[in-house]
Amino acid sequence: MERYLCLALLLALILAVASCPALAETDGIILEEEIELTEPSELPGAPGLNDLISLDLDMDGDLLDVTEPVTPAGDPQSNSSSYKLTESCINIGEKERYSKLSVTMNVSNGEPPRITWRSGNRKIAKVDSETGRITGVKKGSTTIYAKIEGYKKEVKCKVNVLKSPKQRNFSISPQNGSLKVGQSGQYRISFDSGYGGSFTFSSSDSEVASIDEQGVVTAISPGSCEITVTMYNEVEKTVSLQVLENGSSESGKIEKVLQCAKSKLGKPYKQGCFGSDRFDCVGFTYWCYKQVDVKLKDTTSKQAEDTRFMNVSYDELAPGDLVYFHSDDNPKVSHAALYLGDGEIIHASYTAGKVIISQLVSSSSDYYKRNFHCARRVFS
């Protein structure tokens, strides 16, 4: 109360001086100049009379310091919050929907702000203003922007919309494959032209074989199932997979192929010959599998690209696999062989001039490993 009383007396004194044209005397010094005071509410940048009376006091009666504004915790303009997009550039196909783009944020008060999305060119790509889900419209490039509430700068992502494939433009390999229980293989998707777009793999019977999102299939129990690839535009293609027991009749066929191959060791190399006593590399693999009633393609490139058979990686090679190589100076497939196991191949060698056994990696060279192109598995 004493503070309020002092403040009231001070205001009364100011008003009295302002209304009196007489000279003011202070400590014996005469102020000879007449002073005209402006009403407090009219002083530039100064608080008015009502403002002076309504100044806040703390619990002890002291005036609160209100000269500096207080920034609330978690204010988007403060350094305590930062925002960015999960991607800076994405590719999608026409009519493809993309919902994985999002804003990552570090908000100190734990309350995520409202986000508004917009597209730089809706004729190229649309975006849902609330969810951020993007839809490709037509081929071209544009930018998607995200505006965070209370945050001045927009964050952005470049979007390339690419030509989407038609049903005839993609294929699965192998078209029909087989694996033994416990073995794994890789399904691959290839596109003749245009953008591939997103796709998923599925197995019709997960108890026979399972498949992951990368197309790696694992044989679980004997039987058959269908592997289906579904594109984002709902185009589907299906291939068959047979899972065999270990020790099935397929093993006998593999053994026969390898025995036939070894029986031709030392036979001369002859370009364009398919046996039975002279071979070139593709003629040799062709002849060996012909002995178990499997007709391979008649050129190296066609054999390597034959989607009837499972594609296997270098680390997954098993006896009986067809193995293909290119040269150091040319990435195009140019040589065919049969894998014997234990890092060995048997093949009709142009350099040696005959059918020989070679090491994929030897103490003197890693030529065959270095130039490994691909491998195909006819039987499990």
Side-chain angles (χ1 to χ4, degrees):
M1 290 299 295
E2 291 178 357
R3 290 180 181 274
Y4 280 113
L5 180 60
C6 291
L7 182 59
L9 291 173
L10 176 61
L11 292 173
L13 178 62
I14 292 173
L15 293 174
V17 173
S19 61
C20 180
L23 297 177
E25 181 175 318
T26 305
D27 293 333
I29 299 176
I30 301 299
L31 300 180
E32 298 179 352
E33 189 172 338
E34 190 175 287
I35 300 175
E36 180 176 329
L37 295 180
T38 307
E39 288 293 329
S41 60
E42 297 176 0
L43 287 173
L49 181 61
N50 292 335
D51 295 325
L52 289 172
I53 295 174
S54 64
L55 290 176
D56 291 332
L57 304 177
D58 65 11
M59 293 297 292
D60 296 324
D62 294 327
L63 289 172
L64 289 174
D65 182 5
V66 294
T67 58
E68 294 294 331
V70 178
T71 301
D75 184 354
Q77 304 297 343
S78 70
N79 293 329
S80 61
S81 303
S82 61
Y83 306 91
K84 64 180 181 179
L85 291 178
T86 51
E87 302 285 346
S88 60
C89 181
I90 61 172
N91 295 330
I92 63 174
E94 296 169 327
K95 299 182 180 179
E96 181 180 4
R97 292 180 177 179
Y98 189 90
S99 58
K100 296 180 181 179
L101 185 65
S102 61
V103 176
T104 60
M105 59 189 71
N106 176 22
V107 184
S108 57
N109 64 5
E111 289 292 333
R114 183 174 180 270
I115 300 170
T116 304
W117 299 83
R118 69 180 180 90
S119 171
N121 188 340
R122 290 177 57 83
K123 293 182 179 180
I124 302 296
K126 297 179 181 178
V127 63
D128 188 292
S129 61
E130 295 184 356
T131 65
R133 186 174 67 179
I134 304 167
T135 303
V137 178
K138 71 175 184 178
K139 185 178 179 180
S141 297
T142 187
T143 302
I144 298 298
Y145 299 89
K147 178 70 171 68
I148 297 92
E149 185 178 24
Y151 190 70
K152 293 182 179 179
K153 186 178 179 181
E154 288 180 307
V155 287
K156 59 186 179 179
C157 173
K158 182 178 180 180
V159 176
N160 299 314
V161 180
L162 306 176
K163 185 176 177 60
S164 54
K166 296 179 181 179
Q167 184 169 359
R168 65 177 182 274
N169 281 353
F170 84 95
S171 59
I172 315 169
S173 62
Q175 294 175 358
N176 296 286
S178 62
L179 290 171
K180 285 184 181 179
V181 172
Q183 286 186 324
S184 295
Q186 175 75 58
Y187 279 96
R188 301 189 185 279
I189 309 300
S190 58
F191 302 91
D192 296 335
S193 63
Y195 172 61
S198 59
F199 51 86
T200 57
F201 292 94
S202 61
S203 170
S204 63
D205 192 338
S206 58
E207 294 183 357
V208 173
S210 63
I211 190 165
D212 66 13
E213 60 183 12
Q214 303 300 322
V216 177
V217 62
T218 301
I220 298 174
S221 62
S224 61
C225 64
E226 292 183 336
I227 301 299
T228 300
V229 178
T230 305
M231 302 297 295
Y232 66 85
N233 53 9
E234 299 183 355
V235 174
E236 292 185 351
K237 284 195 176 181
T238 300
V239 295
S240 297
L241 174 67
Q242 186 177 12
V243 177
L244 307 170
E245 293 182 0
N246 293 313
S248 67
S249 60
E250 302 292 339
S251 298
K253 291 183 179 180
I254 294 173
E255 287 299 321
K256 184 175 180 179
V257 168
L258 298 180
Q259 289 173 4
C260 290
K262 291 176 182 178
S263 71
K264 298 302 177 180
L265 279 170
K267 293 297 181 180
Y269 178 95
K270 181 68 174 179
Q271 184 69 39
C273 287
F274 284 67
S276 61
D277 292 320
R278 294 183 179 186
F279 308 91
D280 64 9
C281 67
V282 70
F284 180 69
T285 54
Y286 180 96
W287 181 86
C288 291
Y289 267 96
K290 184 179 178 181
Q291 308 315 301
V292 292
D293 300 320
V294 174
K295 186 176 181 180
L296 299 181
K297 304 293 185 180
D298 57 4
T299 68
T300 307
S301 60
K302 287 181 180 179
Q303 281 191 12
E305 296 168 3
D306 193 343
T307 57
R308 292 179 298 165
F309 310 123
M310 179 73 71
N311 186 84
V312 293
S313 68
Y314 180 88
D315 295 330
E316 296 171 330
L317 289 175
D321 287 347
L322 295 159
V323 192
Y324 302 94
F325 305 91
H326 53 255
S327 61
D328 282 329
D329 56 358
N330 192 337
K332 185 178 179 180
V333 61
S334 57
H335 190 58
L338 280 172
Y339 186 67
L340 291 175
D342 298 324
E344 292 183 336
I345 57 172
I346 184 169
H347 57 124
S349 169
Y350 171 81
T351 303
K354 59 184 178 180
V355 176
I356 60 172
I357 293 176
S358 301
Q359 294 284 337
L360 289 172
V361 179
S362 66
S363 58
S364 59
S365 175
D366 66 346
Y367 177 85
Y368 290 110
K369 181 179 180 180
R370 185 172 71 245
N371 291 293
F372 174 81
H373 187 84
C374 70
R376 294 284 177 183
R377 181 166 296 158
V378 179
F379 300 124
S380 295

